[in-house]
C-alpha cells in the first residue's frame, strides 16, 4: 500500500519542492533567495574551474618520458634530471641519495638511525 502512494516522478518532485519553498519563504523572499543561490553556484563554479586550471598547469609541467629505458643508469639519470639533480661524475648510489634528499623521502634500503 505504501509503495503505490510514493510513486512520484522526477518532474513532480521539482513541483513539490517549489511549492514547499513558496510556502516556507513566501513570494517576497523567493527572488532574493534565488539570487543568493545563483551567486553561490557561480562562486562554486569559478572555484572549481580555477582548481581545474591549476591541476592542468601542474600536469603539463611534469617531464615526458618517451620510449623504454634500456639500463638502470638511464632510468636514474632521467629521474635525477626531472628532480633537478646533476648526474655528472656521480655513482648510482650517490644519485639515488641526491634524488631522495631532493624529493624529501627517506631511503627504504637504509636502516633507521637511532
Amino acid at each position: 500500500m505504501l509503495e503505490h502512494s510514493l510513486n512520484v516522478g522526477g518532474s513532480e518532485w521539482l513541483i513539490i519542492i517549489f511549492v514547499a519553498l513558496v510556502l516556507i519563504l513566501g513570494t517576497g523572499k523567493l527572488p532574493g533567495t534565488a539570487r543568493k543561490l545563483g551567486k553561490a553556484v557561480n562562486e562554486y563554479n569559478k572555484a572549481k574551474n580555477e582548481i581545474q586550471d591549476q591541476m592542468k598547469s601542474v600536469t603539463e609541467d611534469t617531464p615526458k618520458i618517451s620510449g623504454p629505458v634500456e639500463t638502470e643508469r638511464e632510468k636514474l639519470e632521467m629521474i635525477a634530471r626531472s628532480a633537478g639533480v646533476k648526474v655528472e661524475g656521480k655513482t648510482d648510489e650517490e644519485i639515488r641519495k641526491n634524488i631522495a634528499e631532493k624529493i624529501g623521502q627517506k631511503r627504504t634500503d637504509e636502516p633507521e638511525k637511532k
Side-chain angles (χ1 to χ4, degrees):
M1 190 100 169
L2 186 62
E3 295 173 11
H4 298 290
S5 63
L6 294 178
N7 191 12
V8 179
S11 61
E12 294 163 346
W13 276 112
L14 289 175
I15 294 170
I16 292 169
I17 291 170
F18 181 72
V19 170
L21 284 174
V22 169
L23 290 174
I24 292 171
L25 298 174
T27 56
K29 292 183 181 179
L30 194 58
T33 305
R35 221 173 280 118
K36 288 179 184 176
L37 182 63
K39 286 180 182 179
V41 169
N42 189 24
E43 288 295 319
Y44 169 78
N45 286 333
K46 282 182 186 178
K48 179 184 73 167
N49 291 337
E50 185 177 323
I51 290 172
Q52 286 176 344
D53 291 342
Q54 289 175 355
M55 294 295 286
K56 286 179 186 175
S57 69
V58 167
T59 57
E60 290 170 358
D61 293 343
T62 57
K64 305 289 188 263
I65 299 174
S66 59
V69 181
E70 292 181 16
T71 65
E72 185 70 24
R73 176 68 183 200
E74 288 178 6
K75 187 189 319 182
L76 270 175
E77 289 177 0
M78 191 175 294
I79 294 169
R81 274 188 244 115
S82 68
V85 174
K86 297 192 185 308
V87 295
E88 293 80 22
K90 294 183 180 177
T91 65
D92 290 356
E93 194 57 37
E94 290 172 332
I95 294 173
R96 282 188 188 98
K97 183 178 178 183
N98 290 343
I99 291 171
E101 289 171 356
K102 186 77 168 190
I103 296 175
Q105 297 176 346
K106 281 205 277 186
R107 297 276 311 270
T108 56
D109 58 346
E110 291 181 0
E112 290 186 24
K113 297 177 183 175
K114 293 182 181 180

